[in-house]
Amino acid sequence: MDKKGQFILGVSSFFHDSAAAIIKDGEIIAAAQEERFTRKKNDSSFPVNAISYCLQAAGITAKELDSVAYFEKPLLKFERLLSSYMHEAPRGLSSFLKAMPLWLNKKLHVEREIDRALNHQFDGPITYCSHHQSHAASAFFPSPFKDSAIITFDGVGEWSTTTWGVGLENKISLEKEIRFPHSLGLLYSAFTYYLGFKVNEGEYKLMGLAPYGKPRYANQILEEIVEVKNDGSFLLNLEYFDFVSGLEMTSKKFHELFGRPPRSPNTEVTQWDADLAASIQKVTENIMLNMAQHVKKETGHNNLCLAGGVALNCVGNGKIVQNKVFENVWIQPAAGDAGGALGAALFSWYQILNQPRTITPGRDSQIGSLLGPSYSNENIQTFLKTSGASFDFVDDDKLFIMIAEAISKGQVVGFFQGRMEFGPRALGSRSILGDPRSSSMQKQLNLKIKFRESFRPFAPSCLAEDADQFFDLGDTPSPYMLLVAPVKKERRLSVGPDDSERPMAEQLNERRSDIPAVTHVDYTARVQTVSPETHPRFYRLLQAIKEATGEGIVINTSFNVRDEPIVMTPQDAFRCFMATDMDILVLENYICYKDNKDQASSVDDVQT
């Protein structure tokens, strides 16, 4: 890479999903999460490995960096922490004593950690953005919009938990905020914790569980736990929570309100759990929709950009789109704290250095969020020769046809291509693929490959031009799998008039459409639309699948098993392949088999 130009490294760390990103003259070069390197899910340690990768991808050393941007202001966050403990004292002493060593030893010493990560070779400036400035910058600056409204929702930054504002050309301005401890992200996480899932990880599970229930407790939540105003602002009743100064999310009063203690993670998920999940999901969607409507009214903008952890709530995002609050919506693919690394770098370039911004109408600058490491066929061949695997090299003319045929026959394929995705979604580079027409595929993937709860839904990826054949997305593309949309009515199958009242156990594995493996219990799907511009090889595979099956659609789930990060290297992928019931592993142009090569079509049998 040409070293002429200005390089800015962005860093997020210590709180959840640490990451690094690098830009050159405003162009996004690389970004990655630390968990992919360390294999520790949601790794919050300082992103030493991600930083090293970003420098390598940019073709520079630490000495050649022009500046480093950090995604929040540690001193201001520490002030909030101390203020909260003082307000609650002497209650919360145990939580205070647990938090202080990490703060005093690491979190307050960001410059020292940056210096160590860069091998003491960087002596340039370090910029500290506020947490929600980083979120807002990550949403607006890569978007295809010249001007836009911006909303950020998350757990908490320094003090802000929700902000809204506007972006214009190369500047963002945050106009309003909701402050800690009133937080939509923490409210949702409290119910995640109460229902037995892990905070900052199990929110996806709660969202997937919600459609199996009825929102029977939504009014109770609104009457007792959270006051919601017409503009989408809200106030939590703190008597029901313990997160301000305690070690748990919910209080004894919360447990008494719903008549039981938090569910143990090892116990069965019941209909009651599904109903409570449906209730908090409905409340969350209404808050998101009300806020979007208020921001539209206040700003008058036709475009909306979203970021923050709550912006990963695909169902809530879908409600904003379906209600046509804004003409266009763009959501940062790495909407959580990881995306803050990218946002901080972009904020420094545009907001602080006042550099001009070039916009390509209809096209974002996130490069499909394919910003992580890639591995050549030569790298892969070297590894495979030492692995003991059975494998073939297949050129592109036959590769996609072979994979499509395998999927059409009900086989499950590990698909490893190009640069790794930045963000929590597998977008066709580190994916497990299957046939959405199969009635048994959801159960097979959940239990035999992903090793996760049977109620978890799977997402479809489809050719962008064919999306309206399957889903009611309107004109809104969904390249980053961040929108839930209804399955077309003409593709649905009736399961009886009383389906919504049937218990959860009876609703599992019901065939609800002619693409049952990606049709959730409420006739929706979390959709990825694939175009040749953003992901040409995955697009070619979808074309081959359409040729083989008549439908340009596939199940696309992340290439990992439960409690592990998405795979990064060929070694990670092969290990996952061998530990599961996947049939075929595709590493770039290499196809790997298990004991029986007859599982797949032979190369010679493929007609080109």
Side-chain angles (χ1 to χ4, degrees), residues 433-465:
L433 307 176
D435 190 343
R437 304 170 302 163
S438 168
S439 296
S440 61
M441 188 58 70
Q442 179 184 4
K443 184 175 181 180
Q444 178 184 349
L445 285 169
N446 270 328
L447 299 182
K448 294 186 177 182
I449 294 172
K450 299 288 282 189
F451 306 129
R452 67 185 197 181
E453 299 85 354
S454 59
F455 65 80
R456 300 279 296 279
F458 286 100
S461 297
C462 64
L463 294 167
E465 64 269 25

Side-chain angles (χ1 to χ4, degrees), residues 565-579:
I566 296 174
V567 302
M568 182 179 77
T569 66
Q571 291 88 337
D572 297 334
F574 185 76
R575 188 162 49 245
C576 185
F577 170 62
M578 295 302 294

Side-chain angles (χ1 to χ4, degrees), residues 376-382 384-385 391-395 399 403 414 416-417 537 584-593:
S376 68
N377 278 316
E378 290 73 21
N379 296 145
I380 292 165
Q381 182 189 58
T382 299
L384 288 176
K385 284 183 175 180
F391 61 89
D392 287 320
F393 180 87
V394 185
D395 62 34
L399 178 70
I403 302 168
F416 182 106
Q417 299 283 304
R537 290 181 72 76
I584 297 169
L585 172 62
V586 182
L587 299 171
E588 295 296 340
N589 284 85
Y590 284 92
I591 297 185
C592 304
Y593 316 99

Side-chain angles (χ1 to χ4, degrees), residues 293-335:
Q293 290 170 333
H294 175 72
V295 171
K296 167 65 176 176
K297 180 180 177 182
E298 290 293 310
T299 66
H301 285 285
N302 294 321
N303 305 315
L304 174 66
C305 293
L306 292 171
V310 179
L312 295 171
N313 192 306
C314 310
V315 183
N317 297 338
K319 297 293 183 184
I320 294 172
V321 170
Q322 291 156 30
N323 281 274
K324 302 184 187 303
V325 182
F326 290 85
E327 291 181 12
N328 305 292
V329 178
W330 194 85
I331 307 158
Q332 166 54 234

Side-chain angles (χ1 to χ4, degrees), residues 145-189:
F145 308 141
K146 176 182 176 181
D147 60 89
S148 177
I150 305 169
I151 304 177
T152 68
F153 307 92
D154 70 358
V156 59
E158 294 86 358
W159 281 101
S160 300
T161 67
T162 300
T163 68
W164 67 259
V166 296
L168 178 62
E169 299 283 3
N170 66 340
K171 292 289 186 294
I172 59 173
S173 174
L174 298 181
E175 308 290 342
K176 299 289 183 181
E177 68 173 0
I178 296 173
R179 289 167 67 89
F180 181 84
H182 306 286
S183 164
L184 184 57
L186 291 175
L187 172 67
Y188 202 83
S189 291

Side-chain angles (χ1 to χ4, degrees), residues 248-294:
E248 298 180 342
M249 293 298 296
T250 53
S251 70
K252 183 179 178 182
K253 187 169 182 176
F254 189 106
H255 310 158
E256 290 172 348
L257 177 66
F258 294 112
R260 70 167 211 193
R263 182 182 75 85
S264 170
N266 299 319
T267 59
E268 181 183 0
V269 175
T270 67
Q271 186 61 49
W272 187 89
D273 298 312
D275 290 343
L276 193 59
S279 302
I280 188 57
Q281 177 63 34
K282 181 179 179 180
V283 169
T284 301
E285 291 167 18
N286 287 343
I287 291 173
M288 293 176 71
L289 181 58
N290 288 349
M291 174 125 352
Q293 290 170 333
H294 175 72

Side-chain angles (χ1 to χ4, degrees), residues 390 406-407 409-414 432-435 441 444-445 448-449 576-578 580-586 591-600:
S390 175
I407 290 171
K409 294 175 181 177
Q411 295 180 351
V412 178
V413 176
I432 297 173
L433 307 176
D435 190 343
M441 188 58 70
Q444 178 184 349
L445 285 169
K448 294 186 177 182
I449 294 172
C576 185
F577 170 62
M578 295 302 294
T580 67
D581 286 346
M582 264 183 276
D583 299 294
I584 297 169
L585 172 62
V586 182
I591 297 185
C592 304
Y593 316 99
K594 290 186 177 171
D595 294 335
N596 184 6
K597 286 182 66 171
D598 292 335
Q599 288 176 335

